Each structure stands twice: as structure tokens, then as C-alpha cells.
Amino acid sequence: MNTTAKSGRVLVLGAGYGGLMAALRAADTAAVTLVDPSSDFTERVRGHELAAGGTRITHELAPLLRRKGVTHVAARATGIDLDSRTVRTDDGAEHPYDRLVYALGSRTRDPGGHDGRVFTPETATYLHKRLADGPGRLVVVGGGLTGIETAAELAERSGWRVGLTTAGEVGPSLSGKGRAHVRDVLGRLGVDLREGAEVTPADADTDVVVWTASMSPATELASRAGLTLGADGRIVVDEYLRSVSHPDVYAAGDAAAAWSPDAGALRMACATALPAGTRAGRNAAAELSGGRARPLRYRYQLQCLSLGRHDGLVQRVRGDDSPTDLVVRGRLAATVKEQIVLSTVRVLRMAAR
Ligand SMILES: Cc1cc2nc3c(=O)[nH]c(=O)nc-3n(C[C@H](O)[C@H](O)[C@H](O)COP(=O)(O)OP(=O)(O)OC[C@H]3O[C@@H](n4cnc5c(N)ncnc54)[C@H](O)[C@@H]3O)c2cc1C
């Protein structure tokens, strides 16, 4: 337990990559309360592994929070009162704060058509159970990085016949070389790849649909409270991660429209949620202890994806996330990707010390 005197109360909403990191960093100098209904941190980037193999992707929060003295409220935030600086939770409690960090993440955009065949990365546990009833035919919809990883993992491990359907081309953020490798590996894994085909869940003539097309920020509470949101629904923040409309509220992770001079507008990613969480947490606490807030500085370096357990792609990108021709493929790339995923939990454990 940290025994130094704490200056002010920081309340953090959401214990994902952004919120957990913000809480741990703010706790160096502030009294921190973290609100999340779950008693575990979920490695959301391993959702496809959970769906395919039932892999455990959670870590107990309590040991991560203990040493820094962060208080965990195991409840769902249901309302924010920006005037009285309080947050309500679904257990009926009210939580006052001096600074709020909003990090409620995102979820897959609702595709509609819930006829029991449609799953998303958020329902990976149920998908895993459903696949155990198989084998049958499934289609992953969405050719972004999440859709590619999901299709490859399921094709390799589930025993189902897997298709991947996407409105544009597969892996639009990748270089030509990177995309060619993805097509190659998906072909080798027997994935029926359809590019340039826009579908709804109802169109998909298959036993299971795994919808991965586009993420929606979880900013309903922010919107109801009156925080300014951008056209993409994320909380508009300045370079310090402070809400432009309510400077005692910070935002990080998928819910924030964070940006930095080198990278431009940051995309929703664990890779951006961790540094933004660090900065939001430190800045919120610094303001309360008379310290100086610092701007977020971030440059992209790599896009990494797993293509099943034995292949992958590491795509070198420029600071603004645009792809270069430099790629690493195959088993080495799979190892690099796994090490990067492991390092995210390692970084959180280090911050917890
Ligand atoms: C299958 C898959 C693979 C991915 N792979 C990668 C990858 O390789 N690299 C990468 O950079 N990104 C990847 N991503 C994206 C990455 O997972 C997200 O960008 C990241 O999780 C965002 O972090 P976050 O902290 O903003 O939100 P989250 O990790 O989603 O955490 C949000 C937290 O808020 C909590 N919460 C929600 N509502 C409430 C409420 N009302 N009250 C209290 N708590 C609440 C949730 O319980 C959760 O703990 C992947 C995503 C998926 C689905």
C-alpha cells in the first residue's frame, strides 16, 4: 500500500486498457476509485482466442490494484452529474470526484437481426459454446484487423467451415505486401474470402455469423451528461486528454477522440489506449497536486496481427499509421505478435508496482 499523502480524488470509469492504466498512474499521488462491474481485467485483444479455443483472457483486478491502494467499485456507472461532480452506479451509490477519467471503451456496432445466429467479439464466450455444438458453416463479417484475426483463428481451431466477407478489400490499413500475405494465409486455412460484398446478418446463408464490422464508442453516459462528442461519437479532448467542454473530465481509450501531433487522430486500439490512459491518469492527478499536465505524444510504429497460432503479420507503419513496404511474415511474426500482447499485461503489472 502506498502510504504517502494523496492529493484529491480521481474517479476512473472502466477497467480496460485505458482506464486501468489511468487508475494505476493517477494513484501515485491521488486517491483513486475505479468503477467497473467486473472483478477482472479482460484482455480484449485476445477475444478471438477465447472464441476459438476457450483461452482464459482475464486477470483478477484486486492484486493489480492493491499496492497502489486503488479502491474498486464493482458496479456499472449509470449517470454522471457534471455540476455536482458525482457519478451514480447501479448499486444505488454516488461517487464524488475532483477529476473524472472516462474510459468506458467501445463495442461492436449492433448489426441488428438477432436471430440467435449472430455473435460479436463481445459475445466470444457464447460463440465458443455455440461452436462446440458444430461443426457447421460460419461467416465472419468485416475485413479489418479484428475480422482477419477472428477468421484465421476460427478456421485453424474450430473445425467449422469459415468464410470472411467484407465490403471493401481485406486489411485496408495494410500495405500491398501485407495484404497479399493475409490473403495467402487465409487461403491456406481454407477461409472463403469475399471482398467487395456488403451483407447484413439476414443475407448470410450460414449457421453462425460473427459480426466484427466497425466499433462504436461507449459514450452514452458522456452524451447524456452533456460532454461534447465528435461526429464519430467519441469525447472530444485537447492534447492533455481533457474534455474540451468540461476540463475536470479526462477521457482515454476507445471512448476518447485522442490525437497527437505526429499520429493525428488516434484509432481505437489497445496500442493507443495504454499511452492515453497513462497520460490521462497522470494529468488528472498532477492537476490536483499542483503538478504540470503534459500533452500526449504518440507515434505509431507497427500493426501486428495473428493469423492463427502459427502465422502472423507485422506491418511497419509510419508515425501517422500509414503502411510502409516493410513486413515480417510467418512464425516469426506470430511470435512477435504474441510477445506484444504479453507486454500489454506486463506494462500494466509494472504500473501496479
Ligand atoms: C478481437 C479483438 C482483437 C483486437 N486486437 C487488437 C490488437 O491486436 N491491437 C490493438 O491495439 N487493439 C486491438 N483490439 C482493440 C482493443 O481491444 C480496444 O481498442 C481496447 O480494448 C480499448 O481499450 P479501452 O480501455 O478503451 O476499452 P475496453 O478494453 O473495452 O474496456 C472498457 C471497460 O469499461 C467497462 N465498462 C463498460 N461500461 C461500463 C459502465 N457503464 N460502468 C463501468 N464500467 C464499464 C468494461 O467492463 C471494460 O472493462 C482488438 C479488439 C478485439 C475485439
Side-chain angles (χ1 to χ4, degrees), residues 14-19 35-37 44-45 47-48 75-77 103-106 121 146 149 221 252-255 268-271 273 304 337:
Y17 296 94
V35 178
D36 194 299
R44 201 171 157 203
V45 302
H48 53 298
R76 181 167 291 280
L104 296 183
S106 63
T146 301
E149 288 196 322
L221 289 187
D254 289 358
M268 292 185 190
C270 140
C304 301
K337 164 77 188 192

